Amino acid sequence: YPEYKAHRPPMPDALASQIAPLKEAIVAMGWPLLEVEGVEADDVIGTLARQAEQAGMRVVISTGDKDITQLVSPQVTLVNTMSGEKLDVAGVEQKFGVPPGRMIDYLTLIGDAVDNVPGVPKVGPKTAVKWLTQYGSLEAIVNQAGDIGGAVGENLRQALDWLPQARALLTIKCDVKLPVQI
């Protein structure tokens, strides 16, 4: 999808100049530094989180990125160090109205402006939560699209061909081949 993240401005020079010293500091502190060419950082984080989870470890991911909420589980928690917000399973459901296992469906319906991935036109968080509560999943919503009335139902029907692509773009991959294991 050529428009994916296409509207993002380039990294500011002041931030770009901090990357090399940060990498040096990470190595100097003895922490592992993992860079995987051609793979999004979210997918590396998702893969490491699932590996750690399968090994019985508790995982804390520091981010303000709502896409990562799809990784939250009883063993995976998000902490936004900028706001102090902490999201566990109950926290995701309280904040977004759906459990972590439905966040991909939720994001597919509403879209993700930050990544330039459109959802269903005129469908916002309230409608997405309403539909997911009523129908249970994106798949069920798609299967019942003909029964959903009004302009928003028509918008859904017009977006049906796009939704699988949007879902694929918004889904964090948790099976990336990495040069290290947890």
Side-chain angles (χ1 to χ4, degrees):
Y1 178 62
E3 298 302 313
Y4 184 60
K5 298 186 181 185
H7 69 290
R8 285 192 181 179
M11 185 182 300
D13 291 340
L15 180 58
S17 67
Q18 297 175 46
I19 292 177
L22 178 61
K23 288 179 183 180
E24 290 173 19
I26 289 168
V27 171
M29 292 170 41
W31 292 357
L33 177 63
L34 181 59
E35 295 179 274
V36 182
E37 188 69 32
V39 176
E40 290 203 40
D42 287 359
D43 298 335
V44 173
I45 292 167
T47 299
L48 291 170
R50 289 298 180 246
Q51 285 178 6
E53 191 177 33
Q54 290 167 0
M57 298 176 185
R58 294 200 54 213
V59 178
V60 176
I61 301 171
S62 179
T63 184
D65 185 348
K66 72 178 177 290
D67 296 358
I68 301 282
T69 55
Q70 65 190 268
L71 299 175
V72 171
S73 73
Q75 288 174 256
V76 178
T77 303
L78 304 185
V79 175
N80 183 338
T81 56
M82 301 300 276
S83 68
E85 181 180 45
K86 192 173 169 184
L87 293 176
D88 55 10
V89 172
V92 169
E93 190 154 7
Q94 181 179 3
K95 181 172 182 170
F96 296 99
V98 296
R102 287 286 153 239
M103 281 303 296
I104 299 168
D105 293 352
Y106 172 87
L107 292 169
T108 300
L109 290 167
I110 68 168
D112 187 342
V114 173
D115 289 341
N116 204 30
V117 177
V120 176
K122 306 290 187 198
V123 170
K126 287 181 184 178
T127 301
V129 169
K130 175 185 164 192
W131 286 352
L132 288 167
T133 300
Q134 182 176 352
Y135 297 104
S137 69
L138 180 62
E139 181 181 353
I141 293 167
V142 166
N143 290 339
Q144 298 296 316
D147 298 335
I148 298 174
V152 75
E154 182 57 33
N155 290 345
L156 171 63
R157 288 184 287 283
Q158 289 180 8
L160 289 177
D161 289 341
W162 165 248
L163 294 179
Q165 177 71 24
R167 184 178 173 80
L169 290 169
L170 295 167
T171 300
I172 295 173
K173 291 158 188 57
C174 297
D175 59 355
V176 173
K177 184 175 166 106
L178 299 176
V180 297
Q181 295 288 314
I182 288 290

